[in-house]
Amino acid sequence: MINFPIRRRFRHGAEAAGVFLAWGLFSSLPLDKASSFGGWIARMIGPRLKVSGKARRNLCLAFPEKDSSEIDAILREVWDNLGRLAAEFPHLKRIAAERVEIVGRQHLDTMRNDRRPGLLVSAHFGGWELSGHLAGQLGLPVHVVSRVANNPWVEWLIRRNRGSGVESVIPKGPGGARKIVEVMRAGGHVAMLVDQKMNDGIAVPFMGRKAMTPPAAARLAFKFDCPIVAGRIERVGGAYFRAILEPPIPLPKSGDQERDVFDVMVEVNAKIERWVRARPGQWLWLHNRWPN
């Protein structure tokens, strides 16, 4: 037990060295070459990793009508997108400024000017790491709810490059929940990814099965009577993207708050499902979204 912190520091140091080395490599390459090289590496290595078995099972559950060759093709695209995104990280500022078509900008303009707090929800889809840079470009600073990386040096690198639109990173957990409330009481805007399993969430349909879903976005919207805008950043080819922002999700007022929260999250999951079914290779299938 005494030596564990030393081993952990050594492991973190080795991991960070590898990440910083890859960062240096990809930042030295032209954007398109970095993106294609990162995608190639991930396509070659990713499908051979154990976690690909989990992704394959998820894909088979979600698309029982697809044969093994179709599932394999989607899985290769998943790894390609993930590898490209990692390689593009040093270039995100340029991509946001030059290579993103924005659809539905008026919904963010309204949110910025309505003098109320607001919520943006999205998924681990396409180029999700571009969101902080796009928020700055669109003039709507956000506080991002995110899981903190286990490696503090890697976390430092990620935070340093999240983009000028990120006012703060709020860690998940009870302390983070209090911070979110503080931010929204002050009229701030909070962005969160809501597509991963939350064991103490609520069971909401997603891709034809019940999925434990975090209800925080809906609860906060009702608490502050503020809009929820859902959006995604889809890859349209190479290192080019399209950010699509949808109209605010209506807040039902049935008098049964728990039912209303459930109905809002049903709508959120339905939106994400539509994105995933349209472009399944751009969603992160590598986690346990559904109960075993």
Side-chain angles (χ1 to χ4, degrees), residues 13-29 37 90 154 157:
E15 290 172 351
V19 170
F20 277 76
L21 183 63
W23 181 279
L25 170 63
F26 290 125
S27 63
S28 69
L29 291 173
F37 185 40
V154 174
L157 184 64

Side-chain angles (χ1 to χ4, degrees), residues 37-59:
F37 185 40
W40 178 81
I41 292 173
R43 290 196 310 274
M44 294 300 103
I45 298 175
R48 295 174 170 81
L49 300 179
K50 184 177 180 181
V51 70
S52 276
K54 185 185 302 181
R56 188 181 301 278
R57 287 192 297 273
N58 286 337
L59 283 162

Side-chain angles (χ1 to χ4, degrees), residues 43 76 91 103 132 141 153 175 186 238 252:
R43 290 196 310 274
R76 284 194 298 272
H91 303 277
V103 178
W153 291 305

Side-chain angles (χ1 to χ4, degrees), residues 26 42 92 119 130 141 148 168 232 236:
F26 290 125
L92 292 182
L119 292 151
L130 281 160
V148 177
S168 73
R232 79 273 196 190
V236 295

Side-chain angles (χ1 to χ4, degrees), residues 10 12 36 47 63 65 92 107 113 150 209 213 230 259 278 281:
F10 179 80
H12 283 174
S36 61
F63 299 107
E65 74 282 5
L92 292 182
H107 304 307
N113 299 326
N150 294 329
R209 299 169 66 88
T213 301
R259 180 68 198 184

Side-chain angles (χ1 to χ4, degrees), residues 194-208:
V194 296
D195 60 326
Q196 291 195 325
K197 180 181 176 184
M198 181 179 180
N199 289 331
D200 57 350
I202 58 176
V204 180
F206 180 64
M207 303 293 291

Side-chain angles (χ1 to χ4, degrees), residues 7-275:
R7 293 198 302 270
R8 183 169 59 188
R9 286 197 295 271
F10 179 80
R11 185 177 71 249
H12 283 174
E15 290 172 351
V19 170
F20 277 76
L21 183 63
W23 181 279
L25 170 63
F26 290 125
S27 63
S28 69
L29 291 173
L31 168 55
D32 292 308
K33 287 187 177 180
S35 178
S36 61
F37 185 40
W40 178 81
I41 292 173
R43 290 196 310 274
M44 294 300 103
I45 298 175
R48 295 174 170 81
L49 300 179
K50 184 177 180 181
V51 70
S52 276
K54 185 185 302 181
R56 188 181 301 278
R57 287 192 297 273
N58 286 337
L59 283 162
C60 289
L61 285 172
F63 299 107
E65 74 282 5
K66 294 187 183 297
D67 61 31
S68 60
S69 63
E70 292 174 300
I71 296 296
D72 288 343
I74 294 172
L75 189 55
R76 284 194 298 272
E77 188 178 346
V78 170
W79 281 109
D80 178 76
N81 182 70
L82 191 57
R84 285 179 179 271
L85 189 59
E88 290 160 356
F89 218 102
H91 303 277
L92 292 182
K93 183 177 181 179
R94 180 188 166 194
I95 295 173
E98 301 176 5
R99 297 189 174 205
V100 183
E101 174 193 1
I102 298 173
V103 178
R105 178 173 182 157
Q106 68 273 20
H107 304 307
L108 278 197
D109 292 340
T110 299
M111 179 179 280
R112 184 184 60 242
N113 299 326
D114 65 7
R115 300 185 180 219
R116 290 190 291 166
L119 292 151
L120 294 110
V121 297
S122 191
H124 293 81
F125 185 90
W128 73 86
E129 289 291 358
L130 281 160
S131 57
H133 291 274
L134 288 175
Q137 183 177 314
L138 295 171
L140 184 75
V142 293
H143 299 261
V144 176
V145 180
S146 177
R147 178 183 173 276
V148 177
N150 294 329
N151 189 314
W153 291 305
V154 174
E155 176 67 16
W156 174 84
L157 184 64
I158 292 172
R159 291 198 182 203
R160 184 173 176 268
N161 292 277
R162 280 200 181 273
S164 61
V166 177
E167 288 196 317
S168 73
V169 176
I170 302 174
K172 292 182 178 181
R178 290 190 292 272
K179 177 63 176 176
I180 292 171
V181 171
E182 291 175 10
V183 165
M184 297 191 70
R185 279 179 178 158
H189 298 89
V190 174
M192 57 181 72
L193 303 178
V194 296
D195 60 326
Q196 291 195 325
K197 180 181 176 184
M198 181 179 180
N199 289 331
D200 57 350
I202 58 176
V204 180
F206 180 64
M207 303 293 291
R209 299 169 66 88
K210 294 288 187 180
M212 298 306 291
T213 301
R219 295 194 191 283
L220 289 164
F222 284 110
K223 179 179 179 66
F224 292 99
D225 190 25
C226 69
I228 305 175
V229 170
R232 79 273 196 190
I233 304 171
E234 61 181 29
R235 188 182 298 276
V236 295
Y240 289 85
F241 297 84
R242 180 183 297 115
I244 303 173
L245 299 153
E246 302 192 5
I249 296 170
L251 299 181
K253 300 289 177 68
S254 71
D256 182 342
Q257 187 172 15
E258 290 306 308
R259 180 68 198 184
D260 290 345
V261 165
F262 175 81
D263 288 344
V264 169
M265 296 315 302
V266 166
E267 179 62 22
V268 170
N269 274 11
K271 287 180 181 293
I272 297 174
E273 178 172 337
R274 287 195 292 272
W275 308 344

